[in-house]
Amino acid sequence: MFIEKGAFYRKAASVVMSELYQQYNKQDFLDDDSFVRFVRGEQSDAWEEYVQSAPPNLREFQAARAELQLLLTAKRILPSATAESEVWESIRTSIEQVTHQSHLRVVRKRWMVAAAAAAVLVVGITAYFQLADKKVHTEYGKLASIMLPDSSEVLLNANSTISYKKNWENGQPREIWLNGEAYFEVRHLKQDSLPVSPSERFIVHTKHLDVEVLGTVFNVKERRGVTEVGLRSGAVQLKSHQGQQLLLQPGDVARFTETTQQLQRTTEEVNTVSAWKNKQLIMNNMTVQQITQLLEDTYGYQSTITDSTILNKKIQGDITVNNEDDIIFILSGILKMNIEKKDHMLIFKQRN
């Protein structure tokens, strides 16, 4: 069957874009100018076809559309002259703070200004600030590199989540909420000998600890009721929610354990706890149980071991880890066992 060349290329482009959109999460859809026009009713064919294809991220698509529709359908409520002036000044300031961001981000911000004008205050402004929050989540086996609003950098480990305000306000602390593990390189803002101002503070909140720094490089991990902080450079002040405090120096590693409610330094080396960012696993007498927990936390594999005595065996050595198979191969050789992957299970079997 003959296919006109132009139609062929349009079809090929459509397939490529469909594959790209299937990688989108809710935030990606909200940042897409074409998606915004679709929700506003300005174009529909391509997006309707995308919905009809039942993509794997259809739930993310629907959540993004519902959020934008809420903003678009908000009723106009006329504010006082003073309140209106304050709202527009806030929006103008936000626009100036993001001029260095990508084109898509700027397009979205411009659209947000237009939407806020049609739904000033109450519902409209509430939705605006909800959309201003940023959340990044990594899947099992995946890493993500993130540039924060102040140009600090974060490498987010697998199966982890961070959230923060997309625009940090002047005079306010820089705050991050972490669930999982991340490696931070924080931009140093303090340039004088005066007391630390609120805007110079950088705080990472975890379930049990607040990690506060000025400018430093450190690793934070929170898994299975244990929060671990390793400091490479600078200084870090740890504060538990129970009131315990601990000041770390470069090279220090500290741990808070949920069961004991204790915050204390450990003898572990900082290079060990942050080795994952270089795709390394440093096993300093790690037990098999700790390794299987790492496989579950990082790659989503649960383990079935009939001989429970194996769990207490300790392993020493360093390996390069590109994926879970590298760990499984080494573990199988050391234990002299076959390890079978089935769905999301690892089944340990004695060799005949």
Side-chain angles (χ1 to χ4, degrees), residues 93-104:
T93 302
S94 296
I95 295 173
E96 292 175 352
Q97 290 175 345
V98 297
T99 53
H100 66 283
Q101 295 181 359
S102 68
H103 173 70
L104 285 179

Side-chain angles (χ1 to χ4, degrees), residues 53-84:
S53 69
N57 62 344
L58 182 58
R59 181 174 296 180
E60 297 286 327
F61 173 93
Q62 293 171 335
R65 179 163 60 177
E67 193 157 351
L68 290 184
Q69 286 175 335
L70 171 65
L71 186 57
L72 286 169
T73 57
K75 294 182 179 180
R76 182 190 295 256
I77 299 177
L78 296 178
S80 66
T82 302
E84 184 177 9

Side-chain angles (χ1 to χ4, degrees), residues 196 201-204 210-214 235-239:
V196 177
R201 299 172 64 197
F202 187 103
I203 306 172
V204 180
D210 292 335
V211 183
E212 182 171 347
V213 303
L214 291 178
V236 162
Q237 177 73 47
L238 304 183
K239 299 178 182 179

Side-chain angles (χ1 to χ4, degrees), residues 237-351:
Q237 177 73 47
L238 304 183
K239 299 178 182 179
S240 76
H241 297 172
Q242 289 72 33
Q244 301 173 73
Q245 297 190 32
L246 188 61
L247 180 64
L248 298 190
Q249 301 297 330
D252 285 347
V253 176
R255 182 180 296 121
F256 179 89
T257 305
E258 185 177 43
T259 54
T260 64
Q261 298 289 296
Q262 292 298 311
L263 172 63
Q264 55 190 9
R265 287 183 177 83
T266 74
T267 58
E268 197 165 7
E269 296 183 359
V270 67
N271 289 339
T272 299
V273 300
S274 61
W276 62 270
K277 75 181 186 67
N278 297 319
K279 296 186 177 181
Q280 295 286 320
L281 175 61
I282 300 177
M283 298 176 289
N284 289 334
N285 289 321
M286 286 184 70
T287 65
V288 172
Q289 183 174 23
Q290 289 174 322
I291 296 174
T292 59
Q293 289 174 346
L294 183 148
L295 286 165
E296 181 176 350
D297 293 339
T298 307
Y299 300 101
Y301 285 92
Q302 294 185 339
S303 300
T304 299
I305 304 178
T306 54
D307 184 0
S308 60
T309 61
I310 294 175
L311 295 173
N312 295 322
K313 287 189 175 181
K314 295 183 177 181
I315 297 177
Q316 183 79 25
D318 305 347
I319 62 173
T320 298
V321 180
N322 292 305
N323 52 52
E324 71 275 17
D325 289 334
D326 293 329
I327 302 177
I328 294 172
F329 177 78
I330 295 296
L331 195 58
S332 175
I334 292 176
L335 297 178
K336 296 181 173 57
M337 298 182 71
N338 295 325
I339 303 177
E340 177 186 346
K341 288 200 300 185
K342 186 176 182 181
D343 297 326
H344 288 286
M345 293 293 298
L346 296 178
I347 303 173
F348 290 65
K349 297 180 177 179
Q350 295 290 349
R351 292 176 180 173

